[in-house]
């Protein structure tokens, strides 16, 4: 380092050590490659801010001149302008060998050339755009020594002048290519007299050292000749820069065989001149970070210190350097007006964004309007028509052909005129052209033509109707997607109520649109245009919106379901149902099912979306409740609108399954963690990756941000037993919390961010101090299971997750099937509740109101509990597979659930709680008797209801027993019913009056299944244990079937007092229920047996298992006939065809296989029907299968019913 530079550092050392914070300074120096990561660590190891600053200065003193310059520039960029000023005079000179001599990188030679040539100086606030500067330099080099033109073009305010001037600040460029110098002339909009003055001034400037004084040229031709002689004789190999050219005739005055660079809004301006021509298109948009950097420099603040409105301002400026600079200059003078200028931009009040000293127009609107005014009158009208184009949309040429009723070539000629003048942008995608306006141009047009917008919208709708008449666009047409996306937008803009209602209340339109673009956009339109659609009555719009919200995830996927059949499943009062019924009645030769007992049908969820192609492991709301982030097994992060499901972001985020995601408190970032051991932070609006953390050594299970805005802290936990705390402003872990002995499954900040709670497979919950990372308390959760029957001492307790109460006084913990509530101060157990005897809890979340707790269960459901009264408030079914996550919105009004069935469901908390008393459990029994359908169902786990399926009327309801009901059955003669309870009790009652005839305390665990024999005198039952009971309830005699080693999965009655049972131990047994003896014993599978079916002739049975196989067995020989191996997931169900030739099996992957019983050969493979990568047929497990009587049709159930025609 130069002695002078070193002395300046030493002289000002005390002031530097006192004020600077080193973290951001070092980040910039590392990016400049003058500071190493090891040196950064040495600085970080110091205890105080002053000591860290001192260490950094010591390191810089050992380095070269580049380190001094980097340190100086870092001080400038981080807002330490006063300290940078102390070091300015000590900036070391750059040696002549590399051509630099000052901090801005310019030699004295460059300064002299540019000064003499009249090149504008850098703006006070300057942010470089190196790609564009390099592009201009490259085109200038292409000129070589030959005459020619370089055109730098772009819309008003995009930075053409500043970038051109910056490209000239290059010693090598000027010395090698333009040794004769550069000559800058600002032209602007001129008439002939004005142009002559410009030429006279230029000639005078070029003749300033001439010994002969000449009079000024009297006309343009004379000026052109004099300029040509000067450039050829006196300034050979020089560059002439003509800034802001508007008209091609102006260029003819400079067409004198020299090298010229021009800036213009009109790309075609050089068409009238000869010579080599090169172009540089200046893009209209700055990146978001660049915009923030400009604002920070204007107001002399660090980017991190800018107010919240800064992000919104940059977004509203649409990336325009001009607008951002205008706003920055105004804020420098009026630093309290952030909110004011934001509102002016949002309200399109461009006249109030007044003049900047470095720009030629009085206000922003003038800068935009002057280009439009140069168009001829016919073209102005065409340009006005563009006022109603939607934002951020590239419009195909065909749309404008329809609007203007012209041929394609005519339209393209008109649009090219706009493109040439930077009033429109063109995207040439193969053969077709698509056109779009910059947001600021569209805002300007909209404001200027506000009073005519309705008529302009009406015109485009009428032209569409005229062109398509009774037809609709088809996907092969280039304009198809535009009309499906924006026809409703134009109808609403035209206030065409009837046309809009006819369109959006049409099942044909809904079907066509959802097949093309999915349901989210249509749901958004129902909300957006509700004021128009609801002018007569809101009911119809609500019917269609609800229909789409709850069924859109089915409509937006292949194979596309029949929308008429979906409509027939709506309530009979719904307009959707009425329309679907009319369609169905008109259809001939099409099979439709009518749901006859749906009068009490109530949908408890508000929206169902299917953003992923595999299991969804986690989802969460943003703080403003407007967005949802989700992640899962497909390795993607999705962000979508909570109102409509409209996708905002899709990111292929990791190399393995993503296990958790979380919004930051201000919603700016989303964190993801994965089985690939990485944690990543993403900008939630742009999808840009901010950082990656790779310090965990095993899969990362959970990530959670702190709760306060402004400070970005992230907690993560992993199978490596560690919890780590990250500060997003730093590259490395801030704290590592060590103490767990096994995988850490979940972590969460306390509401005040002072503590972090963690849950582990080691059976503990630990509380940590967030600031220090020290362990404060540990709760041994496994202690609360030691005496429980369901949890032996030698089995570990996996603590799944936890949730804090709103005030942080209590913490809720989940393990196995229990909720445990603890006092944080004492670690004492306040209360506990067993949620289910046959399902484990996957996740829990406290409602912000503190009384409600939501729990996600492995058997596809979600329950809401009142934690104070320890009572179940609501039971929510709808998912077709495991529910992994349940999360409340920040205000508690909504909660969402995510599942293996690839869906996310959004529920309204109040609606769910109010409707919970109407929920029927899926455990029910049906008897078809004398043409009627009789259903016995469990009502809210407290009552039995006998329902007439034909009329949907409740015939009988029992009083509530002392323990919840878990299963039920009907006798074939409809005289008796039986039910089992979670307490293990079985009861038989008389249907006539509901009187309990017999009761038996049969089990110590919840009863799972019960069934009457055909004579109605005996009741067979099983519980969550290995024993089947055969109870002659009339004689009070009981036979116990003992032999299975694990819990019974299910059983089936055979002929001649025989019973088939299958178990989680992998075996199937045949019993004589009269004697209680096992007559046949089949060791079927290595995993749990999930289902069995008996062939129609009674000679064979099939078994399916969690080991992914199915088998066909002979009753007579007790041997396996065929082992069916090609499934890739648990085989959950099976059935024989009535003709005794086929066996169908279904699995948890949504796949169905059909086998030949005689040979065991696979005949049909019903794979997931694919769009691109494959989508499961059922959105989850295949839960049941049934052949038609003629064996030609197979019906399967899962997420919905499917029928397969067998050839």
């Amino acid at each position: 380092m130069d002695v002078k530079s070193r002395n300046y550092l030493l002289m000002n050392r005390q002031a530097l050590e006192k004020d600077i914070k080193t973290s951001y300074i070092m980040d910039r120096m590392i990016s400049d490659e003058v500071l190493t990561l090891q040196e950064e660590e040495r600085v970080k190891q110091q205890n105080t801010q002053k000591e860290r600053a001192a260490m950094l200065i010591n390191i810089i003193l050992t380095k070269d001149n580049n380190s001094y310059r980097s340190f100086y520039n870092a001080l400038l960029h981080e807002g330490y302008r006063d300290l940078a000023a102390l070091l300015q005079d000590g900036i070391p000179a750059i040696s002549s060998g590399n051509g630099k001599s000052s901090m801005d990188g310019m030699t004295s030679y460059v300064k002299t050339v540019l000064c003499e040539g009249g090149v504008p100086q850098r703006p006070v606030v300057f942010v470089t755009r190196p790609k564009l500067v390099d592009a201009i330099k490259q085109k200038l080099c292409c000129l070589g020594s030959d005459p020619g033109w370089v055109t730098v073009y772009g819309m008003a305010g995009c930075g053409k002048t500043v970038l051109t001037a910056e490209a000239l600040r290059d010693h090598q460029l000027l010395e090698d290519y333009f040794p004769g110098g550069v000559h800058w002339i600002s032209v602007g909009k001129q008439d002939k007299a004005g142009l002559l003055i410009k030429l006279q001034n230029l000639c005078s400037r070029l003749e300033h050292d001439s010994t002969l004084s000449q009079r000024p040229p009297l006309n343009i031709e004379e000026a052109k000749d004099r300029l040509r002689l000067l450039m050829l004789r006196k300034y050979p190999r020089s560059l002439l820069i003509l800034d802001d050219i508007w008209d091609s005739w102006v260029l003819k005055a400079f067409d004198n065989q020299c090298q010229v660079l021009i800036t213009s809004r009109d790309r075609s301006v050089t068409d009238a001149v000869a010579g080599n021509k090169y172009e540089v298109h200046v893009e209209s948009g700055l990146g978001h970070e660049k915009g923030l950097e400009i604002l920070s420099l204007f107001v002399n603040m660090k980017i991190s210190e800018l107010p919240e409105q800064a992000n919104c301002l940059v977004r509203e400026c649409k990336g325009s350097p001009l607008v951002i600079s205008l706003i920055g200059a105004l804020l420098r003078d009026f630093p309290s007006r952030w909110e004011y200028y934001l509102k002016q931009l949002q309200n399109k009040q461009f006249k109030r964004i007044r003049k900047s000293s470095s720009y030629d127009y009085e206000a922003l609107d003038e800068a935009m309007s002057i280009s439009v005014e140069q168009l001829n009158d016919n073209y102005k009208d065409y340009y006005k028509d563009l006022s109603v184009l939607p934002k951020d949309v590239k419009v195909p040429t065909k749309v404008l052909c329809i609007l203007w009723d012209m041929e394609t070539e005519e339209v393209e000629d008109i649009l090219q005129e706009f493109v040439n003048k930077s009033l429109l942008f063109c995207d040439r995608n193969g053969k077709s052209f698509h056109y779009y306006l910059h947001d600021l141009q569209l805002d300007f047009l909209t404001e200027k033509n506000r009073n005519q917008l309705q008529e302009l919208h009406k015109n485009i709708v009428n032209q569409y109707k005229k062109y398509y008449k009774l037809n609709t666009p088809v996907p092969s047409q280039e304009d198809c997607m535009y009309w499906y996306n924006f026809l409703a937008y134009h109808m609403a803009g035209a206030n065409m109520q009837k046309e809009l209602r006819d369109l959006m209340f049409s099942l044909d339109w809904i079907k066509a649109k959802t097949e093309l673009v999915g349901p989210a956009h249509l749901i958004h339109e129902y909300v957006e245009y509700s004021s128009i659609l609801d002018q007569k009555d809101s009911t119809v719009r609500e019917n269609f919106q609800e229909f789409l919200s709850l069924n859109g995830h089915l409509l937006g996927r292949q194979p596309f379901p029949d929308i008429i059949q979906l409509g027939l499943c709506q309530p009979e009062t719904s307009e959707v149902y009425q329309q679907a019924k009319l369609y169905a009645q008109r259809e001939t030769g099409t099979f439709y099912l009518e749901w006859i007992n749906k009068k009490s049908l109530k949908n408890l969820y508000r929206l169902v979306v299917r953003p992923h192609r595999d299991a969804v492991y986690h989802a969460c709301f943003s703080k403003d409740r407007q967005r949802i982030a989700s992640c899962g097994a497909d390795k993607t992060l999705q962000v979508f609108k909570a109102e409509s499901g409209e996708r905002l972001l899709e990111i292929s985020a990791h190399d393995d399954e993503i296990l958790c995601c979380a919004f930051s408190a201000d919603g700016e970032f989303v964190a993801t963690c994965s089985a690939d051991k990485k944690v990543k932070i993403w900008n939630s609006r742009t999808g840009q990756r901010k950082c990656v953390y790779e310090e965990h050594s095993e899969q990362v299970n959970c990530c959670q941000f702190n709760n306060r805005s402004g400070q970005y802290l992230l907690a993560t936990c992993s199978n490596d037993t560690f919890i780590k705390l990250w500060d997003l402003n730093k590259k490395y872990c801030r704290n590592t919390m060590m103490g767990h002995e096994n995988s850490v499954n979940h972590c969460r900040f306390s509401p005040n961010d002072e503590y972090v709670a963690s849950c582990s497979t080691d059976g503990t919950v630990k509380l940590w101090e967030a600031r220090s990372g020290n362990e404060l308390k540990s709760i041994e959760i496994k202690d609360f299971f030691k005496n429980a029957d369901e949890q032996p001492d030698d089995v570990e307790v996996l603590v799944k997750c936890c949730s804090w109460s709103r005030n942080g006084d209590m913490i809720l913990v989940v393990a196995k099937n229990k909720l445990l509530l603890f006092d944080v101060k004492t670690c004492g157990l306040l209360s506990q509740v067993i949620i289910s005897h046959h399902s484990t809890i996957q996740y829990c979340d406290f409602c912000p109101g503190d009384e409600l707790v939501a729990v996600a269960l492995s058997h596809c459901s979600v329950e809401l509990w009142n934690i104070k009264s320890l009572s179940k408030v609501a039971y929510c079914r709808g998912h077709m597979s495991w529910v992994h996550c349940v999360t409340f919105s920040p205000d508690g009004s909504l909660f969402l659930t995510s599942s293996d069935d690839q869906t996310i469901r959004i529920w309204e908390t109040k609606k769910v709680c109010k409707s919970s008393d109407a929920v029927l459990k899926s455990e029910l029994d049906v008897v078809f008797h004398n043409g009627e359908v009789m259903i016995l169902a469990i009502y809210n786990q407290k009552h039995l209801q006998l329902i007439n399926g034909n009329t949907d009327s409740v015939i009988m309801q029992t009083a509530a027993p002392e323990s919840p009901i878990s299963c039920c059955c009907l006798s074939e003669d409809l005289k008796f019913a039986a039910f089992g309870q979670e307490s293990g009790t079985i009861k038989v009652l008389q249907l006539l009056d509901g009187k309990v005839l017999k009761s038996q305390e049969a089990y110590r665990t919840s009863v799972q299944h019960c069934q009457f024999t055909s004579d109605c005198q005996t009741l067979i039952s099983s519980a969550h244990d290995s024993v089947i009971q055969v109870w002659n309830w009339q004689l009070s005699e009981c036979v116990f079937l003992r032999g299975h080693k694990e819990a019974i999965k299910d059983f089936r009655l055979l002929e001649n007092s025989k019973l088939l049972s299958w178990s989680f131990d992998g075996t199937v047994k045949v019993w004589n229920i009269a004697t209680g003896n096992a007559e046949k014993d089949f060791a079927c599978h290595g995993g749990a047996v999930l289902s069995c079916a008996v062939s129609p002739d009674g000679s064979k049975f099939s078994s399916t298992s969690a080991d992914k196989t199915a088998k066909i067995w002979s009753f007579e020989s007790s041997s396996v006939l065929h082992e069916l191996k090609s499934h890739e997931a648990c085989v959950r169900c099976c059935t024989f065809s009535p003709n005794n030739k086929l066996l169908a099996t279904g699995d948890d992957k949504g796949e169905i296989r059909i086998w030949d019983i005689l040979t065991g050969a696979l005949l049909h493979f019903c794979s997931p029907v694919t769009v691109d990568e494959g989508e499961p047929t059922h959105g989850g497990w295949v839960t049941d299968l049934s052949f038609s009587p003629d064996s030609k049709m197979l019906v399967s159930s899962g997420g919905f019913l499917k029928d397969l025609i067998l050839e």
Side-chain angles (χ1 to χ4, degrees), residues 623 662-667 671 703-715 725-728 734 748-756 770:
K623 192 172 184 179
F663 273 108
S664 60
D666 60 4
C703 56
Q704 290 288 330
F705 274 103
N706 64 321
N707 299 297
R708 294 179 191 165
S709 297
Q711 184 184 20
Y712 298 113
L713 296 179
L714 181 74
L725 196 62
W726 313 83
D727 185 336
L728 264 59
R734 173 172 144 174
R748 214 172 237 189
F749 278 96
S750 62
N752 61 6
D753 292 336
E754 292 184 7
Y755 308 106
V756 174

Side-chain angles (χ1 to χ4, degrees), residues 80 93 133 179 193 204 286 289 313 425 458 480 545 592 657-658 809 824 899 961 980:
Y80 298 106
V133 171
S204 174
L286 284 175
E289 291 300 318
L313 268 171
F425 297 91
K458 186 177 290 186
C480 172
Q545 185 176 330
Y592 289 112
E657 296 181 334
I658 306 177
D809 291 343
V824 171
S899 166

Side-chain angles (χ1 to χ4, degrees), residues 174-194:
L174 297 180
E175 191 172 65
D176 292 351
Y177 291 92
F178 308 112
V182 298
H183 312 287
W184 186 291
I185 175 172
S186 296
V187 181
K189 182 66 180 170
Q190 300 292 341
D191 56 14
K192 290 188 176 181

Side-chain angles (χ1 to χ4, degrees), residues 154-156 284 318 350 368 371-372 383 386-387 418 421-425 436-447:
M155 65 175 284
S284 54
K318 319 297 185 189
F350 300 121
M368 290 186 283
S371 296
V372 179
Y383 196 65
L386 306 184
S387 303
F418 300 152
K421 296 188 181 305
S422 299
L423 292 170
L424 188 69
F425 297 91
Y436 61 99
L437 290 161
H438 187 275
D439 283 357
L440 283 173
Q441 292 170 327
L442 189 55
D443 288 344
F444 167 74
L445 274 178
T446 303
E447 185 65 25

Side-chain angles (χ1 to χ4, degrees), residues 660-679:
C660 189
C661 58
F663 273 108
S664 60
D666 60 4
E668 286 298 310
F669 300 106
V670 178
T672 56
C673 61
S674 167
D676 66 7
K677 309 175 189 177
K678 297 176 184 176
V679 179

Side-chain angles (χ1 to χ4, degrees), residues 63 147 158 241 285 349 360 394 544 562-563 643 668 671 706 765 812 934 1090 1109 1158 1185:
K63 292 179 174 290
C158 65
I241 303 106
Q349 295 297 318
D360 295 334
K394 296 179 180 179
F544 276 90
D562 192 317
I563 196 169
E643 182 180 62
E668 286 298 310
N706 64 321
V765 170
L812 187 71
M934 304 304 291
L1090 300 179
T1109 67
L1158 187 63
L1185 295 160

